[in-house]
Amino acid sequence: MFRKAHLLFTILCAGSTSAITIIMSLLYLHVSESNLYDSQFRAFQNDVSTITASLEQSTYVSMQWLARIEAQNDYTIFVVDNGTPFLYNNLRGSVDPNSQSLLAEGLTAHDSMSVNEDLDSQGNTYSGIRHTEFEFASPPTQSTYYASIIDINRESTLSQIVILCSLATLHETILRQRILFILIDLAAIAALLVFSWFFTGKLLRPLQENHEKQMQFIAAASHELRTPLSVILASNECCQSASPEEQPGFSGTIRREGKRMNRLIDDMLTLAHSGMNRFLIERKPVEPDTLCLNAYEAFEPLCAQKNLTLSLSLPETPLARCSCDPDRIAQVLSILLNNAVSYTPEGGQIELALHYRREHRTSFEITVTDTGIGISDEEKKHIFDHFYRAEKSRSTKGHFGLGLAIAYEIVNAHHGKISVRDNPTGGSVFVVKLPEK
Ligand code: ADP
């Protein structure tokens, strides 16, 4: 599922960014090509204006001069004298086989543009020199040209100089530019694909981990619920065929296992709420020493029953109040003390202590120290995980491996910290740090 989503997000991310890149490069290409055409046309117009200015100052047209201009600018120039093409190109010795048709096409394109070429703007017969620039495409040469026709009307003789500038070189430049852009775009798309793959992978990883954790939680929860349920079903079956004297025993088992299931479901709901950030903390000013005293009093009978010594250590000076949810913190103390009782053999000692620290941030520190079986360094890494139980405590009935996970969530919701360390004299020390506010 995540692999498919990863692929889909990658395609979506890379696809959208690539589309934007391609649109931007097409826009850039369009603007740059228009500029290239414009500047080429302007350069051509400037050349023609210079030629026209020179022609206006001289009385005759020098073929050598035209040949020089043609060679310098890579133009094709024709001279038409009174409607008859002057074979100027032959003189140069570089006859283009299409030149005659090119000339004809140029003149036809020019004629189709001119309304009345022999009349000036006032309607009088035109006299002097004028020039017109335009663009035309020649199907035989498959080329496009900028053309200029300079009309020289002197003493009722009309000479025309046709100047053609092929756009083939410009088209080649544009083609090269387009190929370069395609290559750059392809490289950009490849880079975007790789980047999107890693980026979306990084984004999806926490979701995937969360999903895996949820799956593990569901699997572990189902496993834990099945045990009491099987006992209930089996006891119920036995109860039906049992004698009246045996029946209360089976009913007792059913009740006990039902309670066990109920507690497990409560724990799971607490964790589910914390996972959905719906863990409600109702803060109020609380005297932390009262909280510890209550927990001590609640566990003293149980410790006495198990032949354990429970002691309470409180600061001698009066303490400030702590802003916390008293029920939730009492639940944390109950989990820690319950574990200490469960994992400390008979004759052991348990200490509940409260300290007031003013070092970095003012905080209350509650410690539960026992002289029990202790926790190995490897186990310390997992004890706050959901459903984690160390191998040696698996046989302890009624322990689902959720207590410390719940304690962790509660302390975390108070912006506090919970940790565990070894008791130098054997056993473990659980430390809960709570900020004052
Ligand atoms: P459980 O309900 O099984 O005690 P917890 O989440 O409270 O689950 O604890 C997780 C595991 O951490 C326990 O199974 C046990 O192995 C270990 N543990 C917790 N408290 C102690 C302790 N005081 N001494 C030794 N081991 C402990």
Side-chain angles (χ1 to χ4, degrees):
M1 183 184 101
F2 275 94
R3 226 184 145 65
K4 214 172 158 188
H6 188 187
L7 203 71
L8 213 78
F9 277 127
T10 305
I11 292 170
L12 209 77
C13 190
S16 48
T17 39
S18 301
I20 294 170
T21 312
I22 291 170
I23 290 170
M24 295 315 277
S25 11
L26 283 179
L27 275 175
Y28 177 79
L29 263 183
H30 176 73
V31 172
S32 129
E33 286 177 15
S34 312
N35 284 345
L36 278 174
Y37 279 116
D38 281 356
S39 58
Q40 176 100 355
F41 191 64
R42 265 200 305 276
F44 178 65
Q45 275 181 320
N46 285 344
D47 286 350
V48 171
S49 300
T50 316
I51 295 166
T52 312
S54 301
L55 285 171
E56 271 168 349
Q57 282 162 19
S58 56
T59 44
Y60 76 103
V61 178
S62 157
M63 295 303 152
Q64 281 76 16
W65 177 66
L66 283 179
R68 226 178 23 252
I69 292 172
E70 196 178 43
Q72 270 171 7
N73 299 291
D74 205 16
Y75 293 155
T76 309
I77 301 181
F78 300 97
V79 181
V80 180
D81 219 1
N82 260 339
T84 315
F86 186 82
L87 291 181
Y88 153 66
N89 290 54
N90 276 343
L91 295 174
R92 271 195 306 135
S94 61
V95 183
D96 179 350
N98 295 309
S99 62
Q100 290 305 314
S101 65
L102 204 57
L103 172 62
E105 282 167 27
L107 287 172
T108 316
H110 177 246
D111 289 348
S112 67
M113 283 175 57
S114 314
V115 180
N116 190 340
E117 63 181 13
D118 295 332
L119 298 177
D120 61 16
S121 52
Q122 273 85 44
N124 302 322
T125 306
Y126 179 77
S127 141
I129 296 182
R130 65 174 184 180
H131 60 95
T132 328
E133 282 73 54
F134 56 95
E135 186 185 330
F136 82 98
S138 161
T141 56
Q142 290 190 332
S143 264
T144 312
Y145 295 88
Y146 286 146
S148 177
I149 300 208
I150 305 173
D151 296 320
I152 309 166
N153 201 347
R154 278 183 190 144
E155 295 152 12
S156 52
T157 310
L158 177 69
S159 304
Q160 286 179 308
I161 296 177
V162 181
I163 306 172
L164 299 179
C165 165
S166 169
L167 296 186
T169 320
L170 182 64
H171 285 163
E172 260 174 40
T173 311
I174 286 174
L175 186 70
R176 267 202 304 276
Q177 185 170 296
R178 284 183 183 177
I179 291 172
L180 190 71
F181 264 79
I182 289 173
L183 291 177
I184 290 173
D185 278 357
L186 284 177
I189 290 169
L192 281 171
L193 269 171
V194 175
F195 173 76
S196 306
W197 178 260
F198 282 110
F199 181 68
T200 50
K202 240 186 157 51
L203 274 185
L204 284 174
R205 203 158 302 133
L207 285 181
Q208 188 172 2
E209 281 169 9
N210 208 13
H211 180 254
E212 276 164 16
K213 268 190 191 158
Q214 275 180 17
M215 285 302 151
Q216 282 166 6
F217 183 83
I218 290 169
S222 320
H223 176 80
E224 293 298 333
L225 281 171
R226 214 171 41 206
T227 317
L229 194 63
S230 328
V231 177
I232 290 173
L233 291 175
S235 302
N236 184 46
E237 217 159 276
C238 296
C239 192
Q240 280 168 6
S241 54
S243 62
E245 298 83 59
E246 288 171 331
Q247 276 180 0
F250 288 117
S251 315
T253 310
I254 291 172
R255 208 175 313 115
R256 212 173 39 252
E257 291 303 311
K259 276 187 185 165
R260 198 161 108 84
M261 269 181 88
N262 198 29
R263 213 175 56 246
L264 176 58
I265 288 166
D266 276 352
D267 284 356
M268 288 197 309
L269 279 176
T270 309
L271 281 176
H273 281 152
S274 76
M276 289 187 293
N277 286 335
R278 292 221 308 251
F279 211 72
L280 288 182
I281 296 289
E282 286 175 28
R283 285 181 185 271
K284 48 178 109 153
V286 180
E287 287 164 356
D289 39 2
T290 313
L291 272 181
C292 291
L293 196 65
N294 290 346
Y296 170 80
E297 283 171 357
F299 274 85
E300 210 188 9
L302 184 66
C303 290
Q305 206 182 333
K306 273 197 78 181
N307 200 16
L308 296 168
T309 314
L310 177 65
S311 58
L312 174 68
S313 160
L314 297 173
E316 280 169 11
T317 49
L319 291 178
R321 290 186 166 203
C322 172
S323 166
C324 65
D325 185 329
D327 293 337
R328 292 293 191 188
I329 297 301
Q331 192 181 355
V332 173
L333 296 184
S334 160
I335 290 168
L336 297 181
L337 286 170
N338 195 19
N339 279 348
V341 172
S342 304
Y343 303 115
T344 307
E346 269 190 35
Q349 285 159 18
I350 299 169
E351 187 200 50
L352 174 63
L354 172 68
H355 309 274
Y356 187 58
R357 304 253 179 243
R358 284 178 186 274
E359 286 142 17
H360 306 294
R361 280 172 66 201
T362 318
S363 63
F364 295 99
E365 195 177 279
I366 304 172
T367 55
V368 176
T369 310
D370 65 51
T371 55
I373 55 174
I375 304 169
S376 70
D377 287 343
E378 188 49 39
E379 286 167 355
K380 279 194 195 97
K381 291 182 201 158
H382 304 288
I383 52 170
F384 295 103
D385 292 348
H386 297 173
F387 290 110
Y388 178 80
R389 277 179 295 179
E391 214 39 62
K392 55 195 170 198
S393 53
R394 286 209 174 266
S395 53
T396 324
K397 255 201 152 196
H399 285 257
F400 306 110
L402 289 180
L404 288 180
I406 292 173
Y408 179 86
E409 295 296 345
I410 294 174
V411 175
N412 209 24
H414 280 84
H415 307 295
K417 271 194 180 134
I418 182 166
S419 58
V420 62
R421 59 170 190 257
D422 290 332
N423 182 0
T425 56
S428 333
V429 183
F430 280 86
V431 184
V432 175
K433 278 187 183 167
L434 292 174
E436 191 175 344
K437 289 192 180 95

